[in-house]
Amino acid sequence: MLNLKMGKGEQRADYIEAFLCHPERTRALRERKAALVCIDVQYLDAAPGYGLFTDPEASGVSKQGRDYYFSRLEDLVMPNMRRLQEQFRDSSLEVIHCRICALTKDGRDRSSGHKRLGLLAAPGSKEAEFLPEVAPVGDEIIINKTASGAFPSTNLHFVLQNMGIETLYMVGVYTNECVETTARDACDLGYFVTVVDDACATVSQELHDASLGVLKFRYANVMTTQEVLHEVRRKTNLPRGER
């Protein structure tokens, strides 16, 4: 139990030990009880000219924000997501894809929040499609959701428990919305969580940094793609005594 009488620095050390650097996190990765969770990289919200950005001026995102967002996606996030997906596949680790997608064509099953926002990706629609660069391969698991967090509106927790997954690496969009919400929920459910800084995006650097600043040291490790690739290779590919 956390000692609430501790000073700020000591309390942070307790958080780090309990959630970030606990030896069980390393064991879970070594035993391949880890998964890469790719969040909402689909035509609805991650492609210019589609979904939320069909009419850019009506998207609610400024031109500056759109330029930043799509540039970051194309130049940084998508290539890094691809590298991570390939490494997880090569290491026999699960790659799980979450997306916004209703069960019905008219979206009557959507959350009230998505209804109020007019947010709809109908099954079989272009909006529900994953971007081809980072789309599922083979029988990789797809989780459809109609809320920001991937846990409250889906059976993701049930699926992860069935597969014995204990540690999650998260990438995708938006950093400060669906990624952050999913990371917080995962931590509260007992998973070890890592959010990959340069494999996530939102509509400004300030929002991205603020979101990761909240998660870091409390809800999730925040790592770079290169750091995660190194960690996964080291913990899954070396003999046990050398890890």
Side-chain angles (χ1 to χ4, degrees), residues 15-50:
Y15 279 132
I16 292 172
E17 182 180 355
F19 294 104
L20 309 183
C21 298
H22 197 282
E24 289 297 300
R25 179 181 179 276
T26 299
R27 177 198 55 74
L29 179 57
R30 185 179 63 238
E31 295 178 358
R32 290 177 168 78
K33 296 180 178 181
L36 179 69
V37 180
C38 307
I39 299 173
D40 295 357
V41 186
Q42 61 189 102
Y43 280 90
L44 175 70
D45 58 0
Y50 294 93

Side-chain angles (χ1 to χ4, degrees), residues 62-105:
S62 69
K63 184 179 185 306
Q64 180 181 9
R66 297 193 304 271
D67 290 346
Y68 166 82
Y69 176 59
F70 289 118
S71 175
R72 181 177 173 91
L73 277 174
E74 182 177 356
D75 298 338
L76 187 68
V77 171
M78 302 276 278
N80 283 338
M81 282 187 64
R82 184 67 180 179
R83 292 169 66 202
L84 289 163
Q85 288 177 343
E86 290 172 353
Q87 183 61 59
F88 272 66
R89 291 165 184 149
D90 289 346
S91 301
S92 299
L93 297 172
E94 292 287 341
V95 179
I96 296 173
H97 305 262
C98 297
R99 65 177 172 184
I100 296 170
C101 183
L103 297 172
T104 55
K105 293 290 186 181

Side-chain angles (χ1 to χ4, degrees), residues 44 100-123 145-147 153:
L44 175 70
I100 296 170
C101 183
L103 297 172
T104 55
K105 293 290 186 181
D106 63 2
R108 61 187 180 276
D109 60 287
R110 289 171 297 166
S111 65
S112 58
H114 277 204
K115 288 176 181 176
R116 290 194 296 268
L117 289 169
L119 199 60
L120 173 62
K145 66 188 181 72
T146 61
S153 63

Side-chain angles (χ1 to χ4, degrees), residues 21 35 39 79 89 100 122 143 160 187 189 204 220:
C21 298
I39 299 173
R89 291 165 184 149
I100 296 170
I143 300 291
L160 293 173
C187 177
L189 288 168
S204 77

Side-chain angles (χ1 to χ4, degrees), residues 58 71 91 95-96 104 114 128 166 180-181 185 190 195 207 209 240:
S71 175
S91 301
V95 179
I96 296 173
T104 55
H114 277 204
E166 299 175 14
E180 181 179 337
T181 302
D185 288 341
V195 176
L207 284 172
D209 291 343
R240 180 181 294 268

